Short mmCIF file of all heavy atoms in Angstrom, two decimals:
data_model
loop_
_atom_site.label_atom_id
_atom_site.label_comp_id
_atom_site.label_asym_id
_atom_site.label_seq_id
_atom_site.Cartn_x
_atom_site.Cartn_y
_atom_site.Cartn_z
N MET Z 1 23.09 66.25 -43.20
CA MET Z 1 24.52 66.20 -42.98
C MET Z 1 25.26 66.90 -44.13
O MET Z 1 24.66 67.58 -44.94
CB MET Z 1 24.98 64.75 -42.87
CG MET Z 1 24.39 63.98 -41.70
SD MET Z 1 24.70 64.68 -40.10
CE MET Z 1 26.38 64.29 -39.85
N TRP Z 2 26.56 66.71 -44.18
CA TRP Z 2 27.38 67.42 -45.15
C TRP Z 2 27.09 66.95 -46.57
O TRP Z 2 27.25 67.71 -47.52
CB TRP Z 2 28.86 67.24 -44.84
CG TRP Z 2 29.32 65.81 -44.95
CD1 TRP Z 2 29.35 64.87 -43.98
CD2 TRP Z 2 29.81 65.18 -46.13
NE1 TRP Z 2 29.81 63.69 -44.46
CE2 TRP Z 2 30.11 63.84 -45.80
CE3 TRP Z 2 30.01 65.59 -47.44
CZ2 TRP Z 2 30.60 62.93 -46.72
CZ3 TRP Z 2 30.52 64.68 -48.36
CH2 TRP Z 2 30.80 63.37 -47.99
N TYR Z 3 26.65 65.71 -46.76
CA TYR Z 3 26.43 65.16 -48.09
C TYR Z 3 25.16 65.72 -48.74
O TYR Z 3 24.94 65.52 -49.93
CB TYR Z 3 26.40 63.63 -48.06
CG TYR Z 3 25.42 63.07 -47.06
CD1 TYR Z 3 24.08 62.94 -47.36
CD2 TYR Z 3 25.86 62.66 -45.80
CE1 TYR Z 3 23.19 62.43 -46.44
CE2 TYR Z 3 24.98 62.15 -44.88
CZ TYR Z 3 23.65 62.04 -45.20
OH TYR Z 3 22.77 61.54 -44.29
N GLU Z 4 24.33 66.42 -48.00
CA GLU Z 4 23.11 66.99 -48.57
C GLU Z 4 23.42 68.16 -49.50
O GLU Z 4 22.59 68.53 -50.33
CB GLU Z 4 22.19 67.46 -47.45
CG GLU Z 4 21.64 66.32 -46.62
CD GLU Z 4 20.85 66.81 -45.44
OE1 GLU Z 4 20.87 68.03 -45.18
OE2 GLU Z 4 20.22 65.97 -44.78
N ILE Z 5 24.61 68.72 -49.41
CA ILE Z 5 24.97 69.86 -50.26
C ILE Z 5 25.55 69.41 -51.60
O ILE Z 5 25.68 70.22 -52.52
CB ILE Z 5 25.94 70.79 -49.50
CG1 ILE Z 5 25.95 72.17 -50.12
CG2 ILE Z 5 27.34 70.22 -49.49
CD1 ILE Z 5 26.63 73.21 -49.29
N LEU Z 6 25.90 68.14 -51.73
CA LEU Z 6 26.53 67.65 -52.96
C LEU Z 6 25.69 67.88 -54.22
O LEU Z 6 26.24 68.28 -55.25
CB LEU Z 6 26.91 66.18 -52.80
CG LEU Z 6 28.05 65.89 -51.82
CD1 LEU Z 6 28.30 64.40 -51.73
CD2 LEU Z 6 29.30 66.63 -52.23
N PRO Z 7 24.37 67.66 -54.21
CA PRO Z 7 23.61 67.94 -55.44
C PRO Z 7 23.66 69.41 -55.84
O PRO Z 7 23.73 69.74 -57.04
CB PRO Z 7 22.17 67.54 -55.08
CG PRO Z 7 22.31 66.58 -53.97
CD PRO Z 7 23.52 66.99 -53.22
N TYR Z 8 23.67 70.30 -54.88
CA TYR Z 8 23.72 71.73 -55.20
C TYR Z 8 25.09 72.13 -55.75
O TYR Z 8 25.19 72.98 -56.63
CB TYR Z 8 23.37 72.56 -53.96
CG TYR Z 8 21.97 72.28 -53.49
CD1 TYR Z 8 21.73 71.58 -52.32
CD2 TYR Z 8 20.88 72.71 -54.24
CE1 TYR Z 8 20.45 71.31 -51.89
CE2 TYR Z 8 19.59 72.46 -53.83
CZ TYR Z 8 19.37 71.75 -52.66
OH TYR Z 8 18.09 71.50 -52.25
N ILE Z 9 26.14 71.52 -55.23
CA ILE Z 9 27.47 71.78 -55.77
C ILE Z 9 27.55 71.29 -57.21
O ILE Z 9 28.09 71.97 -58.08
CB ILE Z 9 28.55 71.12 -54.88
CG1 ILE Z 9 28.63 71.84 -53.55
CG2 ILE Z 9 29.90 71.14 -55.58
CD1 ILE Z 9 29.58 71.20 -52.56
N GLY Z 10 26.98 70.11 -57.45
CA GLY Z 10 26.95 69.58 -58.83
C GLY Z 10 26.16 70.48 -59.75
O GLY Z 10 26.53 70.69 -60.91
N LEU Z 11 25.05 71.02 -59.28
CA LEU Z 11 24.24 71.92 -60.08
C LEU Z 11 25.01 73.20 -60.41
O LEU Z 11 24.99 73.67 -61.56
CB LEU Z 11 22.95 72.26 -59.33
CG LEU Z 11 21.96 73.16 -60.04
CD1 LEU Z 11 21.42 72.48 -61.28
CD2 LEU Z 11 20.85 73.55 -59.10
N MET Z 12 25.70 73.76 -59.45
CA MET Z 12 26.48 74.98 -59.71
C MET Z 12 27.62 74.70 -60.68
O MET Z 12 27.89 75.51 -61.57
CB MET Z 12 27.03 75.54 -58.39
CG MET Z 12 25.96 76.19 -57.54
SD MET Z 12 26.60 77.10 -56.14
CE MET Z 12 27.52 75.87 -55.26
N MET Z 13 28.30 73.59 -60.52
CA MET Z 13 29.38 73.24 -61.44
C MET Z 13 28.84 73.02 -62.86
O MET Z 13 29.44 73.45 -63.84
CB MET Z 13 30.11 71.99 -60.96
CG MET Z 13 30.83 72.17 -59.65
SD MET Z 13 32.23 73.26 -59.76
CE MET Z 13 33.39 72.18 -60.54
N GLY Z 14 27.70 72.37 -62.95
CA GLY Z 14 27.09 72.15 -64.27
C GLY Z 14 26.70 73.45 -64.93
O GLY Z 14 26.91 73.63 -66.14
N CYS Z 15 26.15 74.38 -64.18
CA CYS Z 15 25.78 75.68 -64.74
C CYS Z 15 27.02 76.45 -65.21
O CYS Z 15 26.99 77.10 -66.26
CB CYS Z 15 25.03 76.51 -63.71
SG CYS Z 15 23.36 75.92 -63.41
N ALA Z 16 28.10 76.36 -64.47
CA ALA Z 16 29.33 77.05 -64.87
C ALA Z 16 29.88 76.47 -66.17
O ALA Z 16 30.30 77.21 -67.06
CB ALA Z 16 30.37 76.94 -63.77
N VAL Z 17 29.85 75.16 -66.31
CA VAL Z 17 30.36 74.52 -67.53
C VAL Z 17 29.45 74.85 -68.72
O VAL Z 17 29.93 75.17 -69.81
CB VAL Z 17 30.49 73.00 -67.32
CG1 VAL Z 17 30.73 72.28 -68.62
CG2 VAL Z 17 31.59 72.71 -66.32
N VAL Z 18 28.15 74.80 -68.51
CA VAL Z 18 27.20 75.10 -69.61
C VAL Z 18 27.35 76.55 -70.06
O VAL Z 18 27.36 76.82 -71.25
CB VAL Z 18 25.76 74.77 -69.16
CG1 VAL Z 18 24.75 75.36 -70.12
CG2 VAL Z 18 25.56 73.28 -69.04
N CYS Z 19 27.50 77.47 -69.12
CA CYS Z 19 27.66 78.88 -69.49
C CYS Z 19 28.93 79.10 -70.29
O CYS Z 19 28.95 79.92 -71.21
CB CYS Z 19 27.66 79.75 -68.24
SG CYS Z 19 26.05 79.87 -67.47
N ASP Z 20 29.98 78.36 -69.97
CA ASP Z 20 31.23 78.50 -70.71
C ASP Z 20 31.04 78.06 -72.16
O ASP Z 20 31.53 78.70 -73.09
CB ASP Z 20 32.33 77.69 -70.04
CG ASP Z 20 33.69 77.97 -70.64
OD1 ASP Z 20 33.93 79.13 -71.01
OD2 ASP Z 20 34.49 77.03 -70.75
N TYR Z 21 30.32 76.98 -72.39
CA TYR Z 21 30.12 76.50 -73.76
C TYR Z 21 29.07 77.29 -74.52
O TYR Z 21 29.10 77.35 -75.74
CB TYR Z 21 29.76 75.01 -73.74
CG TYR Z 21 30.97 74.14 -73.45
CD1 TYR Z 21 31.08 73.47 -72.26
CD2 TYR Z 21 32.00 74.03 -74.36
CE1 TYR Z 21 32.18 72.69 -71.98
CE2 TYR Z 21 33.11 73.26 -74.11
CZ TYR Z 21 33.19 72.59 -72.91
OH TYR Z 21 34.29 71.82 -72.64
N ILE Z 22 28.12 77.90 -73.82
CA ILE Z 22 27.11 78.70 -74.50
C ILE Z 22 27.72 79.98 -75.07
O ILE Z 22 27.33 80.45 -76.13
CB ILE Z 22 25.96 79.03 -73.52
CG1 ILE Z 22 25.10 77.79 -73.32
CG2 ILE Z 22 25.10 80.17 -74.04
CD1 ILE Z 22 24.00 77.97 -72.30
N THR Z 23 28.70 80.56 -74.39
CA THR Z 23 29.27 81.83 -74.84
C THR Z 23 30.28 81.69 -75.97
O THR Z 23 30.69 82.70 -76.55
CB THR Z 23 29.95 82.54 -73.66
OG1 THR Z 23 30.96 81.70 -73.13
CG2 THR Z 23 28.94 82.89 -72.59
N VAL Z 24 30.70 80.47 -76.32
CA VAL Z 24 31.70 80.29 -77.38
C VAL Z 24 31.23 80.85 -78.72
O VAL Z 24 31.99 81.56 -79.39
CB VAL Z 24 32.12 78.80 -77.49
CG1 VAL Z 24 32.91 78.55 -78.75
CG2 VAL Z 24 32.93 78.41 -76.28
N PRO Z 25 29.99 80.58 -79.19
CA PRO Z 25 29.59 81.16 -80.48
C PRO Z 25 29.59 82.69 -80.49
O PRO Z 25 29.98 83.30 -81.49
CB PRO Z 25 28.17 80.64 -80.70
CG PRO Z 25 28.05 79.44 -79.84
CD PRO Z 25 28.95 79.68 -78.68
N PHE Z 26 29.21 83.32 -79.39
CA PHE Z 26 29.21 84.78 -79.34
C PHE Z 26 30.64 85.32 -79.38
O PHE Z 26 30.92 86.32 -80.05
CB PHE Z 26 28.49 85.27 -78.09
CG PHE Z 26 27.06 84.82 -78.01
CD1 PHE Z 26 26.66 83.90 -77.08
CD2 PHE Z 26 26.12 85.32 -78.91
CE1 PHE Z 26 25.35 83.48 -77.02
CE2 PHE Z 26 24.81 84.91 -78.85
CZ PHE Z 26 24.41 83.98 -77.91
N THR Z 27 31.55 84.65 -78.68
CA THR Z 27 32.94 85.08 -78.69
C THR Z 27 33.55 84.88 -80.06
O THR Z 27 34.29 85.74 -80.55
CB THR Z 27 33.74 84.30 -77.64
OG1 THR Z 27 33.11 84.43 -76.37
CG2 THR Z 27 35.17 84.80 -77.55
N MET Z 28 33.23 83.77 -80.72
CA MET Z 28 33.76 83.53 -82.06
C MET Z 28 33.23 84.56 -83.04
O MET Z 28 33.95 85.00 -83.94
CB MET Z 28 33.43 82.11 -82.51
CG MET Z 28 34.23 81.05 -81.78
SD MET Z 28 33.83 79.39 -82.29
CE MET Z 28 34.47 79.38 -83.94
N PHE Z 29 31.98 84.96 -82.90
CA PHE Z 29 31.41 85.98 -83.79
C PHE Z 29 32.10 87.33 -83.55
O PHE Z 29 32.45 88.04 -84.49
CB PHE Z 29 29.90 86.11 -83.55
CG PHE Z 29 29.27 87.23 -84.32
CD1 PHE Z 29 29.08 87.13 -85.68
CD2 PHE Z 29 28.88 88.38 -83.68
CE1 PHE Z 29 28.51 88.16 -86.40
CE2 PHE Z 29 28.31 89.42 -84.38
CZ PHE Z 29 28.12 89.31 -85.74
N ARG Z 30 32.32 87.67 -82.29
CA ARG Z 30 32.90 88.97 -81.96
C ARG Z 30 34.38 89.05 -82.33
O ARG Z 30 34.87 90.11 -82.70
CB ARG Z 30 32.73 89.24 -80.48
CG ARG Z 30 33.01 90.67 -80.10
CD ARG Z 30 32.79 90.92 -78.65
NE ARG Z 30 33.84 90.21 -77.91
CZ ARG Z 30 33.74 89.83 -76.66
NH1 ARG Z 30 32.65 90.05 -75.99
NH2 ARG Z 30 34.72 89.20 -76.06
N THR Z 31 35.11 87.93 -82.25
CA THR Z 31 36.55 87.96 -82.50
C THR Z 31 36.91 87.50 -83.90
O THR Z 31 38.08 87.41 -84.23
CB THR Z 31 37.29 87.07 -81.49
OG1 THR Z 31 36.81 85.75 -81.62
CG2 THR Z 31 37.11 87.58 -80.09
N GLY Z 32 35.94 87.21 -84.73
CA GLY Z 32 36.23 86.83 -86.10
C GLY Z 32 36.66 85.39 -86.27
O GLY Z 32 37.44 85.07 -87.16
N GLY Z 33 36.18 84.48 -85.46
CA GLY Z 33 36.45 83.06 -85.63
C GLY Z 33 37.37 82.45 -84.59
O GLY Z 33 37.50 81.24 -84.53
N ARG Z 34 38.04 83.26 -83.79
CA ARG Z 34 38.91 82.72 -82.75
C ARG Z 34 38.06 82.37 -81.53
O ARG Z 34 37.13 83.09 -81.19
CB ARG Z 34 39.99 83.72 -82.37
CG ARG Z 34 40.93 84.03 -83.52
CD ARG Z 34 42.07 84.91 -83.07
NE ARG Z 34 41.62 86.09 -82.37
CZ ARG Z 34 41.41 87.27 -82.92
NH1 ARG Z 34 41.57 87.43 -84.20
NH2 ARG Z 34 41.03 88.31 -82.20
N LYS Z 35 38.41 81.28 -80.86
CA LYS Z 35 37.62 80.87 -79.70
C LYS Z 35 37.93 81.71 -78.47
O LYS Z 35 37.10 81.88 -77.62
CB LYS Z 35 37.86 79.40 -79.38
CG LYS Z 35 37.22 78.48 -80.37
CD LYS Z 35 37.31 77.05 -79.92
CE LYS Z 35 36.62 76.16 -80.91
NZ LYS Z 35 36.67 74.77 -80.52
N ARG Z 36 39.14 82.21 -78.38
CA ARG Z 36 39.53 83.03 -77.24
C ARG Z 36 39.94 84.40 -77.76
O ARG Z 36 40.52 84.52 -78.82
CB ARG Z 36 40.70 82.42 -76.47
CG ARG Z 36 40.36 81.09 -75.88
CD ARG Z 36 39.46 81.25 -74.68
NE ARG Z 36 39.11 79.96 -74.14
CZ ARG Z 36 37.99 79.72 -73.54
NH1 ARG Z 36 37.09 80.64 -73.40
NH2 ARG Z 36 37.73 78.53 -73.06
N GLU Z 37 39.66 85.41 -76.98
CA GLU Z 37 40.01 86.77 -77.40
C GLU Z 37 41.34 87.15 -76.77
O GLU Z 37 41.42 87.65 -75.67
CB GLU Z 37 38.93 87.74 -76.96
CG GLU Z 37 39.17 89.14 -77.45
CD GLU Z 37 38.05 90.07 -77.09
OE1 GLU Z 37 37.09 89.66 -76.45
OE2 GLU Z 37 38.15 91.24 -77.45
N ASN Z 38 42.41 86.85 -77.49
CA ASN Z 38 43.71 87.31 -77.03
C ASN Z 38 43.96 88.67 -77.66
O ASN Z 38 43.61 88.93 -78.79
CB ASN Z 38 44.82 86.31 -77.38
CG ASN Z 38 44.78 85.92 -78.83
OD1 ASN Z 38 43.94 86.38 -79.57
ND2 ASN Z 38 45.69 85.05 -79.24
N ARG Z 39 44.56 89.53 -76.93
CA ARG Z 39 44.67 90.92 -77.34
C ARG Z 39 45.84 91.12 -78.29
O ARG Z 39 46.81 91.78 -77.99
CB ARG Z 39 44.78 91.81 -76.13
CG ARG Z 39 43.53 91.73 -75.27
CD ARG Z 39 43.60 92.59 -74.07
NE ARG Z 39 43.95 93.96 -74.34
CZ ARG Z 39 43.08 94.94 -74.57
NH1 ARG Z 39 41.82 94.68 -74.58
NH2 ARG Z 39 43.50 96.16 -74.78
N VAL Z 40 45.73 90.51 -79.48
CA VAL Z 40 46.75 90.68 -80.50
C VAL Z 40 46.21 91.69 -81.50
O VAL Z 40 45.08 91.60 -81.94
CB VAL Z 40 47.05 89.35 -81.21
CG1 VAL Z 40 47.99 89.55 -82.36
CG2 VAL Z 40 47.59 88.36 -80.22
N GLY Z 41 47.01 92.65 -81.86
CA GLY Z 41 46.57 93.62 -82.85
C GLY Z 41 47.02 95.01 -82.53
O GLY Z 41 48.12 95.24 -82.05
N VAL Z 42 46.14 95.96 -82.79
CA VAL Z 42 46.49 97.36 -82.70
C VAL Z 42 46.89 97.76 -81.29
O VAL Z 42 47.84 98.51 -81.10
CB VAL Z 42 45.30 98.22 -83.19
CG1 VAL Z 42 45.60 99.69 -83.03
CG2 VAL Z 42 44.97 97.88 -84.62
N ASN Z 43 46.20 97.26 -80.28
CA ASN Z 43 46.51 97.68 -78.92
C ASN Z 43 47.92 97.29 -78.51
O ASN Z 43 48.63 98.09 -77.90
CB ASN Z 43 45.50 97.08 -77.94
CG ASN Z 43 44.13 97.68 -78.13
OD1 ASN Z 43 44.01 98.78 -78.62
ND2 ASN Z 43 43.11 96.93 -77.77
N ASN Z 44 48.35 96.06 -78.83
CA ASN Z 44 49.69 95.66 -78.46
C ASN Z 44 50.74 96.41 -79.25
O ASN Z 44 51.81 96.70 -78.74
CB ASN Z 44 49.86 94.15 -78.64
CG ASN Z 44 49.24 93.38 -77.51
OD1 ASN Z 44 48.89 93.95 -76.49
ND2 ASN Z 44 49.09 92.09 -77.68
N GLN Z 45 50.47 96.72 -80.52
CA GLN Z 45 51.42 97.49 -81.31
C GLN Z 45 51.57 98.89 -80.73
O GLN Z 45 52.68 99.42 -80.65
CB GLN Z 45 50.98 97.55 -82.76
CG GLN Z 45 51.06 96.22 -83.48
CD GLN Z 45 50.46 96.28 -84.87
OE1 GLN Z 45 49.94 97.32 -85.28
NE2 GLN Z 45 50.53 95.19 -85.59
N HIS Z 46 50.47 99.47 -80.34
CA HIS Z 46 50.51 100.81 -79.75
C HIS Z 46 51.26 100.79 -78.42
O HIS Z 46 52.09 101.66 -78.15
CB HIS Z 46 49.10 101.36 -79.57
CG HIS Z 46 49.05 102.74 -79.02
ND1 HIS Z 46 49.51 103.83 -79.72
CD2 HIS Z 46 48.62 103.21 -77.83
CE1 HIS Z 46 49.36 104.92 -78.99
NE2 HIS Z 46 48.82 104.56 -77.83
N ASP Z 47 50.98 99.78 -77.60
CA ASP Z 47 51.69 99.65 -76.34
C ASP Z 47 53.18 99.46 -76.56
O ASP Z 47 54.00 99.99 -75.82
CB ASP Z 47 51.13 98.49 -75.52
CG ASP Z 47 49.73 98.75 -75.01
OD1 ASP Z 47 49.33 99.93 -75.00
OD2 ASP Z 47 49.05 97.79 -74.63
N PHE Z 48 53.54 98.68 -77.59
CA PHE Z 48 54.96 98.46 -77.88
C PHE Z 48 55.63 99.75 -78.32
O PHE Z 48 56.77 100.04 -77.93
CB PHE Z 48 55.12 97.39 -78.96
CG PHE Z 48 56.55 97.10 -79.27
CD1 PHE Z 48 57.31 96.32 -78.42
CD2 PHE Z 48 57.15 97.61 -80.41
CE1 PHE Z 48 58.63 96.07 -78.69
CE2 PHE Z 48 58.46 97.35 -80.69
CZ PHE Z 48 59.21 96.57 -79.83
N ARG Z 49 54.93 100.57 -79.11
CA ARG Z 49 55.50 101.85 -79.53
C ARG Z 49 55.73 102.76 -78.33
O ARG Z 49 56.75 103.45 -78.23
CB ARG Z 49 54.57 102.54 -80.53
CG ARG Z 49 54.60 101.90 -81.89
CD ARG Z 49 53.83 102.75 -82.89
NE ARG Z 49 53.47 101.93 -84.02
CZ ARG Z 49 52.23 101.74 -84.45
NH1 ARG Z 49 51.23 102.36 -83.87
NH2 ARG Z 49 51.99 100.97 -85.48
N LEU Z 50 54.77 102.79 -77.40
CA LEU Z 50 54.94 103.61 -76.21
C LEU Z 50 56.09 103.11 -75.35
O LEU Z 50 56.86 103.91 -74.81
CB LEU Z 50 53.64 103.62 -75.40
CG LEU Z 50 52.46 104.34 -76.04
CD1 LEU Z 50 51.23 104.18 -75.16
CD2 LEU Z 50 52.76 105.79 -76.28
N MET Z 51 56.23 101.80 -75.26
CA MET Z 51 57.32 101.23 -74.48
C MET Z 51 58.66 101.57 -75.12
O MET Z 51 59.63 101.94 -74.44
CB MET Z 51 57.16 99.72 -74.38
CG MET Z 51 58.23 99.04 -73.55
SD MET Z 51 58.06 97.26 -73.54
CE MET Z 51 58.37 96.86 -75.24
N ALA Z 52 58.75 101.47 -76.46
CA ALA Z 52 59.99 101.81 -77.16
C ALA Z 52 60.31 103.29 -77.00
O ALA Z 52 61.48 103.66 -76.84
CB ALA Z 52 59.87 101.44 -78.63
N ARG Z 53 59.30 104.15 -77.04
CA ARG Z 53 59.52 105.58 -76.85
C ARG Z 53 60.07 105.85 -75.45
O ARG Z 53 61.03 106.62 -75.30
CB ARG Z 53 58.21 106.33 -77.04
CG ARG Z 53 58.38 107.85 -76.91
CD ARG Z 53 57.10 108.52 -76.62
NE ARG Z 53 56.61 108.05 -75.31
CZ ARG Z 53 55.44 108.36 -74.83
NH1 ARG Z 53 54.60 109.09 -75.51
NH2 ARG Z 53 55.06 107.91 -73.63
N ASP Z 54 59.50 105.22 -74.44
CA ASP Z 54 59.98 105.42 -73.07
C ASP Z 54 61.41 104.93 -72.92
O ASP Z 54 62.22 105.56 -72.24
CB ASP Z 54 59.08 104.70 -72.07
CG ASP Z 54 57.72 105.34 -71.95
OD1 ASP Z 54 57.61 106.53 -72.32
OD2 ASP Z 54 56.79 104.66 -71.51
N ARG Z 55 61.74 103.82 -73.59
CA ARG Z 55 63.10 103.30 -73.49
C ARG Z 55 64.10 104.24 -74.17
O ARG Z 55 65.20 104.45 -73.67
CB ARG Z 55 63.18 101.92 -74.13
CG ARG Z 55 64.53 101.26 -73.95
CD ARG Z 55 64.58 99.85 -74.49
NE ARG Z 55 63.83 99.75 -75.72
CZ ARG Z 55 63.17 98.66 -76.11
NH1 ARG Z 55 63.18 97.59 -75.36
NH2 ARG Z 55 62.51 98.62 -77.24
N LEU Z 56 63.71 104.86 -75.29
CA LEU Z 56 64.61 105.80 -75.96
C LEU Z 56 64.79 107.08 -75.16
O LEU Z 56 65.89 107.63 -75.10
CB LEU Z 56 64.06 106.15 -77.35
CG LEU Z 56 64.22 105.07 -78.42
CD1 LEU Z 56 63.50 105.48 -79.68
CD2 LEU Z 56 65.68 104.81 -78.69
N ILE Z 57 63.73 107.56 -74.53
CA ILE Z 57 63.80 108.85 -73.84
C ILE Z 57 64.48 108.70 -72.48
O ILE Z 57 65.37 109.48 -72.13
CB ILE Z 57 62.40 109.45 -73.69
CG1 ILE Z 57 61.87 109.85 -75.06
CG2 ILE Z 57 62.41 110.65 -72.76
CD1 ILE Z 57 60.44 110.33 -75.04
N THR Z 58 64.08 107.71 -71.70
CA THR Z 58 64.57 107.61 -70.32
C THR Z 58 65.60 106.51 -70.11
O THR Z 58 66.25 106.49 -69.08
CB THR Z 58 63.40 107.37 -69.35
OG1 THR Z 58 62.81 106.10 -69.65
CG2 THR Z 58 62.37 108.46 -69.45
N GLY Z 59 65.71 105.59 -71.05
CA GLY Z 59 66.65 104.49 -70.88
C GLY Z 59 66.05 103.28 -70.20
O GLY Z 59 66.69 102.25 -70.08
N SER Z 60 64.81 103.37 -69.75
CA SER Z 60 64.15 102.25 -69.08
C SER Z 60 62.67 102.27 -69.43
O SER Z 60 62.08 103.34 -69.55
CB SER Z 60 64.31 102.37 -67.57
OG SER Z 60 63.52 101.40 -66.92
N ILE Z 61 62.09 101.09 -69.61
CA ILE Z 61 60.66 101.05 -69.90
C ILE Z 61 59.82 101.22 -68.64
O ILE Z 61 58.63 101.50 -68.71
CB ILE Z 61 60.26 99.74 -70.62
CG1 ILE Z 61 60.55 98.54 -69.73
CG2 ILE Z 61 60.95 99.63 -71.95
CD1 ILE Z 61 60.00 97.24 -70.28
N HIS Z 62 60.45 101.08 -67.49
CA HIS Z 62 59.71 101.16 -66.24
C HIS Z 62 59.68 102.56 -65.65
O HIS Z 62 58.87 102.84 -64.78
CB HIS Z 62 60.30 100.18 -65.22
CG HIS Z 62 60.32 98.78 -65.72
ND1 HIS Z 62 59.18 98.04 -65.90
CD2 HIS Z 62 61.35 97.98 -66.10
CE1 HIS Z 62 59.50 96.84 -66.35
NE2 HIS Z 62 60.80 96.78 -66.49
N LYS Z 63 60.59 103.42 -66.12
CA LYS Z 63 60.66 104.78 -65.59
C LYS Z 63 60.14 105.73 -66.67
O LYS Z 63 60.80 105.94 -67.69
CB LYS Z 63 62.10 105.13 -65.23
CG LYS Z 63 62.26 106.52 -64.65
CD LYS Z 63 63.67 106.77 -64.17
CE LYS Z 63 64.63 106.71 -65.32
NZ LYS Z 63 65.99 107.12 -64.97
N THR Z 64 58.96 106.25 -66.48
CA THR Z 64 58.39 107.17 -67.46
C THR Z 64 58.44 108.58 -66.91
O THR Z 64 58.26 108.82 -65.72
CB THR Z 64 56.93 106.81 -67.78
OG1 THR Z 64 56.18 106.85 -66.58
CG2 THR Z 64 56.83 105.42 -68.39
N LEU Z 65 58.71 109.50 -67.80
CA LEU Z 65 58.78 110.91 -67.43
C LEU Z 65 57.76 111.68 -68.25
O LEU Z 65 57.24 111.18 -69.25
CB LEU Z 65 60.18 111.46 -67.65
CG LEU Z 65 61.28 110.77 -66.83
CD1 LEU Z 65 62.64 111.31 -67.22
CD2 LEU Z 65 61.06 110.97 -65.35
N GLY Z 66 57.50 112.88 -67.87
CA GLY Z 66 56.47 113.68 -68.54
C GLY Z 66 56.96 114.35 -69.81
O GLY Z 66 58.03 114.05 -70.35
N LEU Z 67 56.19 115.31 -70.28
CA LEU Z 67 56.49 116.00 -71.53
C LEU Z 67 57.71 116.90 -71.44
O LEU Z 67 58.29 117.26 -72.46
CB LEU Z 67 55.27 116.83 -71.95
CG LEU Z 67 54.04 116.04 -72.36
CD1 LEU Z 67 52.88 116.98 -72.62
CD2 LEU Z 67 54.34 115.22 -73.58
N GLU Z 68 58.11 117.25 -70.24
CA GLU Z 68 59.26 118.16 -70.12
C GLU Z 68 60.55 117.49 -70.55
O GLU Z 68 61.55 118.16 -70.82
CB GLU Z 68 59.38 118.67 -68.69
CG GLU Z 68 59.72 117.61 -67.66
CD GLU Z 68 58.51 116.89 -67.09
OE1 GLU Z 68 57.38 117.18 -67.51
OE2 GLU Z 68 58.70 116.02 -66.24
N VAL Z 69 60.59 116.16 -70.65
CA VAL Z 69 61.80 115.45 -71.03
C VAL Z 69 61.95 115.38 -72.55
O VAL Z 69 63.06 115.36 -73.06
CB VAL Z 69 61.78 114.04 -70.43
CG1 VAL Z 69 62.98 113.24 -70.84
CG2 VAL Z 69 61.68 114.12 -68.93
N ILE Z 70 60.85 115.43 -73.28
CA ILE Z 70 60.90 115.34 -74.74
C ILE Z 70 61.44 116.65 -75.28
O ILE Z 70 60.92 117.72 -74.97
CB ILE Z 70 59.49 115.05 -75.30
CG1 ILE Z 70 58.99 113.71 -74.75
CG2 ILE Z 70 59.53 115.02 -76.82
CD1 ILE Z 70 57.59 113.38 -75.12
N PRO Z 71 62.49 116.59 -76.09
CA PRO Z 71 63.08 117.83 -76.61
C PRO Z 71 62.14 118.50 -77.63
O PRO Z 71 61.44 117.84 -78.38
CB PRO Z 71 64.37 117.36 -77.28
CG PRO Z 71 64.18 115.91 -77.54
CD PRO Z 71 63.23 115.41 -76.53
N ASP Z 72 62.16 119.83 -77.62
CA ASP Z 72 61.34 120.62 -78.56
C ASP Z 72 61.98 120.60 -79.94
O ASP Z 72 63.20 120.61 -80.08
CB ASP Z 72 61.20 122.05 -78.08
CG ASP Z 72 60.39 122.13 -76.79
OD1 ASP Z 72 59.51 121.28 -76.59
OD2 ASP Z 72 60.65 123.06 -76.00
N GLU Z 73 61.15 120.60 -80.96
CA GLU Z 73 61.64 120.71 -82.33
C GLU Z 73 61.96 122.15 -82.64
O GLU Z 73 61.23 123.07 -82.24
CB GLU Z 73 60.60 120.17 -83.30
CG GLU Z 73 60.35 118.69 -83.17
CD GLU Z 73 59.34 118.20 -84.18
OE1 GLU Z 73 59.03 118.95 -85.13
OE2 GLU Z 73 58.88 117.07 -84.03
N GLU Z 74 63.03 122.39 -83.36
CA GLU Z 74 63.40 123.75 -83.71
C GLU Z 74 63.23 124.01 -85.17
O GLU Z 74 63.26 123.20 -86.01
CB GLU Z 74 64.84 124.02 -83.30
CG GLU Z 74 64.99 123.98 -81.80
CD GLU Z 74 66.40 124.32 -81.39
OE1 GLU Z 74 67.14 124.93 -82.19
OE2 GLU Z 74 66.77 123.97 -80.27
#
């Protein structure tokens, strides 16, 4: 019947929980001691610079234009 699948569901849930706790030391080693890898650092700063550039050139961060909009240096 339907209750025969309950041990297998428990086994799958247990494996998922164990895998989550097994990977914590590897993540802490890779991220320098943080348990979660939040993308703070160079990538966000670079993205912010690009967003600020788009806002200065086009007036909106959502509307990006190509190189033809950037004025040439004289």
